[in-house]
């Protein structure tokens, strides 16, 4: 029993020790476990340090790339300002050829200063290559400025052949060379910005991949750090992308700017496929800015951009080049197809624009040029489309396809403008002829209409139909109108001194009605010559009034309040609004000659003339029939109740002295002039 007890008392002890030892072997680290932990700890530390180092390296690299993009964007903006300044210099040079004046010279000088300022910014921000380019451009610009000075001197002297020679041999080559330098450098910096944006994207991808790996390993701290770094990089990416976008797009409309548009036109021209360029300019956009304010003008430009984009195809490019000038690239479209698209676009733009609480109607002039027919480079296509656009604006045709002869037409117009400007400075080239207006009731003289005539010193007589439209499309028409008013009032003063009170009528162009100084000028001329306002009549066309009814009505009301009589000229040829016609302070309606001349043979014309006479009388106006050339016309008009007649049947337009003799010859048959 005792032995058995000993066994029972002794054997559990070793078993118990083995159990406790086994338990301790499962919880106490072995050398291998310590090694694993050390490896894990080292691995974790390495991962954390690697991720931190990678993040820091990515951030540093992102900073460098972002700085490069920002610097490239700044350089692109400086180059863009330099390019705009160069274009402003060219525009001022062209304007001086058309209209030499100190103001144009001042604009040219300001453009030169802007160019030098932009070059200074390029020199400050750019590399050694940019500074070399600045030195070359300054040298070329000095050569250009010397040529421009000689060109201006030749223009002042009226030496057109010398102007053309300097333009061809000096200014144009220099201008084209430094324009190309600026454009190519701008494109290079835009490419650098794009390359750095791609680099930023690669860095972001690497950091993101590493972050995902760290997240899988449970490194929450690394994940947080990576997320912060990723967010920071994304912000930098967005900033870089924004900088790149701003360097190639217009801030107001979001459309491509001149740099991006020129690049796309170059690519389209190099592809070998047909392509066309549209140059679009809004007519009377300045009136919107001047009348409603720049806020409305900006909104109009945004709506024009949206409507233009919506009217074209998906692959076309719409760009805003400057101000109210837009351009369209039509890849794959020959000129004939481009004309169809341009006409459709113009129709869309003729629909009213709602600008807040104001509804505005505008018109657009579009020039079309095709590749390779009219040019094989972006510069040539833009130049040809620009020339066609100005031809459309001058002819009021809406859309015009470029023709090589337009270069010649443009030169002739420039020469005519220069000659007309000099004629206004002379004292013997521009004169007035006066055509009598006769009362149909008794044959008495009602008044006269003043018509300008030009006797060119070398070309002889130049028809008003040739030089009036040229003046109308420039600011010269305002000066010409004041010149005619001065001569007409001088003649009225002479007649008054001779005992005759003969009312004289003078035509006002649409541009004159938009001149805020018109009323002041007319008042001053009446006072200067001592002529009663009742002896002056101003004639305006329907289209001139309807171009801007509110402003036209305000101007005409001021003139009427002075005591000046007002007429609606060429009635029936425009688009009238009865609502505005009855509100206008006019007392005379002139029926256009195109209806009067055929009223005795064309029943439709006779009906139109009768309707115009009845309308005028119902509105309390005197009615004048123009183009009366025979006894039958006079008799028919008299039977319809027309008040006044004017035409070759009574007298052709004649100089003032001839009118005096005509009055003496008619005195027995014609009563005294109306007062």
């Amino acid at each position: 029993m005792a032995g058995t007890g000993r066994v029972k008392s002794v054997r559990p002890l070793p078993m118990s020790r083995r159990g406790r030892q086994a338990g301790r072997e499962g919880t106490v680290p072995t050398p291998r476990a310590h090694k694993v932990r050390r490896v894990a700890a080292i691995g974790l530390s390495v991962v954390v340090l690697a991720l931190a180092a990678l993040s820091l390296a990515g951030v540093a690299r992102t900073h460098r790339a972002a700085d490069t993009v920002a610097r490239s964007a700044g350089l692109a903006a400086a180059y863009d300002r330099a390019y705009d300044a160069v274009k402003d210099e060219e525009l001022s040079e062209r304007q001086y050829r058309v209209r030499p004046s100190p103001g144009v010279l001042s604009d040219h000088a300001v453009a030169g200063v802007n160019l030098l300022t932009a070059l200074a910014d390029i020199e400050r921000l750019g590399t050694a290559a940019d500074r070399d380019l600045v030195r070359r451009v300054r040298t070329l610009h000095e050569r250009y400025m010397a040529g421009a000075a000689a060109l201006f001197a030749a223009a002042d002297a009226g030496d057109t052949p010398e102007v053309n020679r300097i333009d061809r041999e000096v200014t144009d080559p220099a201008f084209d060379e430094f324009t190309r330098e600026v454009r190519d450098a701008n494109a290079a910096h835009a490419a650098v910005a794009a390359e750095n944006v791609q680099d930023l994207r690669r860095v972001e991808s690497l950091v993101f991949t590493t972050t995902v790996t760290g997240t899988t390993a449970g490194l929450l701290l690394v994940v947080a750090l990576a997320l912060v770094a990723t967010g920071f990089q994304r912000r930098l990416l967005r900033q870089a992308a924004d900088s790149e976008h701003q360097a190639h797009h217009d801030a107001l409309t979001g459309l491509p700017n001149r740099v991006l548009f020129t690049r796309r036109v170059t690519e389209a021209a190099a592809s070998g496929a047909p392509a066309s360029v549209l140059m679009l300019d809004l007519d009377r956009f300045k009136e919107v800015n001047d009348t409603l304010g720049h806020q409305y003008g900006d909104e109009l430009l945004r709506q024009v951009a949206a409507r233009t984009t919506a009217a074209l195809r998906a692959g076309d490019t719409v760009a805003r080049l400057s101000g109210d000038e837009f351009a369209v690239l039509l890849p794959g479209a020959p000129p004939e197809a481009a004309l169809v698209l341009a006409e459709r676009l113009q129709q869309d733009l003729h629909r009213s624009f709602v600008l807040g609480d104001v509804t505005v109607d505008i018109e657009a002039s579009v020039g079309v040029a095709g590749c390779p027919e009219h040019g094989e480079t972006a510069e040539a296509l833009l130049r040809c489309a620009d020339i066609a656009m100005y031809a459309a604006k001058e002819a009021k045709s809406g859309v015009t396809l470029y023709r090589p002869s337009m270069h010649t037409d443009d030169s002739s117009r420039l020469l005519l403008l220069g000659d007309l400007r000099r004629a206004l400075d002379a004292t013997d080239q521009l004169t007035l002829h006066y055509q009598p207006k006769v009362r149909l009731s008794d044959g008495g003289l009602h008044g006269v209409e003043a018509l300008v005539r030009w006797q060119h010193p070398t070309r002889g007589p130049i028809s008003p139909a040739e030089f009036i439209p040229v003046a109308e499309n420039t600011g010269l028409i305002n000066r010409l109108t004041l010149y005619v008013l001065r001569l007409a009032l001088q003649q009225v003063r002479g007649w008054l001194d001779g005992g005759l009170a003969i009312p004289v009528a003078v035509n006002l162009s649409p541009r004159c009605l938009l001149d805020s100084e018109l009323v002041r000028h007319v008042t001053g001329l009446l006072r200067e010559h001592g002529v009663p306002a009742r002896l002056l009549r101003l004639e305006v066309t329907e289209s001139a009034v309807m171009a801007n009814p509110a402003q036209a009505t305000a101007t005409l009301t001021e003139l009427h309040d002075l005591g000046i009589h007002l007429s609606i000229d060429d009635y029936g040829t425009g688009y009238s609004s009865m609502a505005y016609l009855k509100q206008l302070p006019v007392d005379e309606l002139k029926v256009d000659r195109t209806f009067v001349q055929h009223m005795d043979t064309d029943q439709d014309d006779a009906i139109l003339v009768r309707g115009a006479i009845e309308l005028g009388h119902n509105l309390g106006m005197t009615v004048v029939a123009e183009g009366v050339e025979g006894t039958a016309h006079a008799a028919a008009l008299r039977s319809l109740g027309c008040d006044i007649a004017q035409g070759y049947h009574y007298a052709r337009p004649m100089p003032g002295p001839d009118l005096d003799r005509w009055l003496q010859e008619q005195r027995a048959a014609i009563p005294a002039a109306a007062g």
Side-chain angles (χ1 to χ4, degrees):
M1 294 289 294
T4 305
R6 287 195 294 269
V7 171
K8 288 183 178 178
S9 64
V10 173
R11 290 184 64 183
L13 180 58
M15 292 296 296
S16 178
R17 288 175 179 170
R18 285 196 297 268
R20 290 195 295 270
Q21 289 172 356
R24 287 196 294 267
E25 287 175 0
T27 59
V28 177
T30 64
R32 184 175 181 179
H34 282 294
K35 184 177 180 181
V36 171
R37 288 189 178 184
R38 285 196 301 270
V39 170
I42 293 172
L44 178 60
S45 300
V46 169
V47 170
V48 171
L49 291 174
L51 287 173
L54 181 60
S55 297
L56 291 174
V59 169
R61 189 172 177 184
T62 301
H63 267 299
R64 289 195 299 272
D67 288 342
T68 303
V69 171
R71 186 170 59 255
S72 297
L75 276 170
Y79 276 111
D80 202 31
R81 294 197 306 275
Y83 188 86
D84 287 343
V86 167
K87 298 302 291 183
D88 289 343
E89 278 191 325
E90 181 192 34
L91 177 61
S92 299
E93 177 193 321
R94 291 180 61 186
Q95 287 179 338
Y96 196 85
R97 294 174 61 190
V98 173
R99 186 182 62 210
S101 72
V104 175
L105 276 180
S106 176
D107 290 344
H108 189 270
V110 169
V113 171
N114 290 341
L115 174 60
L116 295 177
T117 302
L119 291 177
D121 289 342
I122 293 169
E123 192 173 43
R124 175 175 55 82
L125 296 172
T127 63
D130 292 304
R131 290 189 285 275
D132 288 339
L133 179 139
V134 168
R135 284 192 289 273
R136 292 196 302 275
V137 170
R138 282 175 176 158
T139 301
L140 290 169
H141 186 251
E142 289 172 1
R143 191 171 71 197
Y144 164 78
M145 289 299 292
L151 186 147
F152 292 156
D156 292 337
D159 190 352
T160 302
E162 180 63 9
V163 169
N164 293 334
R165 184 194 68 78
I166 295 172
D167 184 60
R168 183 177 60 256
E169 297 179 4
V170 181
T171 58
D172 264 0
F175 173 80
D176 289 342
E177 189 171 352
F178 66 71
T179 299
R180 184 170 57 256
E181 291 269 5
V182 172
R183 185 195 63 237
D184 292 347
N186 193 9
H189 282 287
V192 170
E195 181 179 352
N196 279 278
V197 169
Q198 291 300 321
D199 188 46
L200 282 172
R201 292 195 176 100
R202 287 193 294 271
V203 173
E204 189 272 342
S205 177
L206 178 60
V207 173
F208 181 78
T209 301
T210 306
T211 302
V212 171
T213 303
T215 303
T216 305
L219 304 175
L220 297 179
L221 180 61
V222 175
V223 171
L225 179 61
L227 289 175
V228 171
T230 301
F232 181 67
Q233 288 168 343
R234 289 184 188 279
R235 287 196 297 273
L236 290 176
L237 277 171
R238 285 195 297 271
Q239 292 173 2
D242 289 344
S243 297
E244 182 186 26
H245 185 273
Q246 291 169 8
H248 294 90
H249 291 79
D250 172 54
L252 178 65
T253 63
L255 295 176
N257 61 12
R258 184 184 294 272
V259 173
L260 181 56
F261 185 77
T262 302
R263 187 172 72 191
R264 291 186 180 177
V265 174
T266 300
E267 293 170 353
S271 69
S276 293
V277 171
L278 311 182
M279 192 69 73
L280 184 151
D281 186 80
L282 304 182
D283 299 335
R284 302 192 309 276
F285 173 73
K286 185 176 182 296
E287 298 171 24
V288 176
N289 271 342
D290 293 345
T291 305
L292 302 177
H294 289 278
Q295 180 181 355
Y296 286 88
D298 289 348
E299 176 60 22
L300 176 60
L301 291 175
R302 283 190 287 265
Q303 291 193 26
V304 168
R307 192 176 293 183
T308 301
T309 302
L312 300 173
R313 306 168 303 176
D316 300 334
T317 297
V318 182
R320 181 187 176 212
L321 303 187
S322 63
D324 61 335
E325 187 178 57
F326 294 81
V328 179
L329 170 63
L330 303 172
E336 296 75 15
L339 273 176
V340 175
L341 288 171
E343 289 170 353
R344 187 179 69 192
L345 171 60
Q346 191 203 34
Q347 291 174 1
D348 285 345
L349 293 176
H350 281 186
R351 291 186 288 109
S352 298
F353 291 85
V354 179
L355 311 178
D357 56 348
V358 177
T359 300
V360 173
D361 292 298
I362 62 168
E363 296 180 353
S365 298
V366 185
V368 183
C371 175
E373 291 88 343
H374 305 135
E376 297 182 355
T377 65
E379 290 80 1
L381 287 170
L382 287 170
R383 185 182 302 115
C384 292
D386 193 55
I387 290 172
M389 182 268 290
Y390 277 107
K393 187 180 290 289
E394 181 174 342
K396 294 181 173 59
S397 58
V399 178
T400 297
L401 178 65
Y402 172 78
R403 302 186 309 276
S405 61
M406 288 178 178
H407 277 296
T408 303
D409 295 342
D410 190 54
S411 298
S412 300
R413 185 177 65 87
L414 288 174
L415 291 174
L416 190 64
L417 272 173
D419 288 347
L420 181 57
R421 185 176 293 104
R422 284 183 284 277
L424 288 169
D425 293 329
T427 58
D428 57 348
Q429 294 188 36
L430 294 172
T431 59
L432 296 187
H433 285 196
Y434 302 90
Q435 186 171 36
K437 298 162 66 177
V438 177
R439 292 191 298 271
L440 284 167
S441 59
D442 58 8
L445 182 67
H446 179 73
V448 296
E449 180 178 359
L451 303 167
V452 65
R453 297 292 183 264
W454 184 8
Q455 182 69 26
H456 194 279
T458 57
R459 295 174 55 182
I462 298 179
S463 168
E466 184 176 353
F467 68 85
I468 293 294
V470 173
E472 182 71 51
N473 285 297
T474 68
L476 203 60
I477 190 64
N478 290 345
R479 186 178 169 194
L480 177 61
T481 300
L482 293 178
Y483 188 96
V484 171
L485 274 169
R486 179 172 282 104
L487 289 182
L489 293 177
Q490 285 176 355
Q491 181 62 67
V492 173
R493 181 68 261 169
W495 284 328
L496 284 172
D497 294 341
L500 293 175
I502 302 177
V504 63
V506 175
N507 289 285
L508 285 183
S509 82
R511 282 179 176 264
C512 292
L513 280 181
L514 301 176
D515 183 2
S516 60
E517 297 294 309
L518 175 65
V519 176
R520 184 177 66 83
H521 287 313
V522 173
T523 303
L525 288 172
L526 288 170
R527 187 183 299 113
E528 176 185 345
H529 297 287
V531 173
R534 62 184 177 82
L535 294 182
L536 175 62
R537 180 176 293 279
L538 297 176
E539 299 183 357
V540 296
T541 62
E542 298 170 271
S543 58
V545 174
M546 297 311 299
N548 192 328
Q551 186 168 351
T553 301
T555 301
L556 292 175
T557 299
E558 287 188 66
L559 293 170
H560 178 266
D561 291 343
L562 293 175
I564 297 170
H565 294 289
L566 302 171
S567 299
I568 293 294
D569 195 15
D570 299 336
Y571 180 76
T573 60
Y575 297 93
S576 297
S577 168
M578 294 301 176
Y580 280 111
L581 191 60
K582 70 180 183 180
Q583 294 174 6
L584 293 174
V586 298
D587 60 357
E588 185 177 88
L589 193 68
K590 300 188 74 173
V591 183
D592 188 69
R593 66 181 65 250
T594 56
F595 305 113
V596 174
Q597 289 176 343
H598 303 291
M599 61 178 293
D600 55 339
T601 58
D602 190 316
Q603 185 63 27
D604 290 338
D605 282 353
I607 293 173
L608 288 171
V609 172
R610 180 186 297 109
I613 293 172
E614 292 176 355
L615 173 64
H617 286 165
N618 289 335
L619 293 176
M621 301 181 189
T622 301
V623 180
V624 179
E626 298 180 295
V628 179
E629 297 186 353
T631 304
H633 290 155
L637 290 166
R638 191 178 295 110
S639 67
L640 292 175
C642 185
D643 305 297
I644 311 296
Q646 178 182 348
Y648 289 175
H649 174 63
Y650 298 100
R652 292 176 176 270
M654 64 190 80
D658 291 352
L659 182 67
D660 293 339
R661 288 190 291 272
W662 182 84
L663 283 173
Q664 292 174 2
E665 294 170 359
Q666 300 295 319
R667 188 156 297 181
I670 300 178

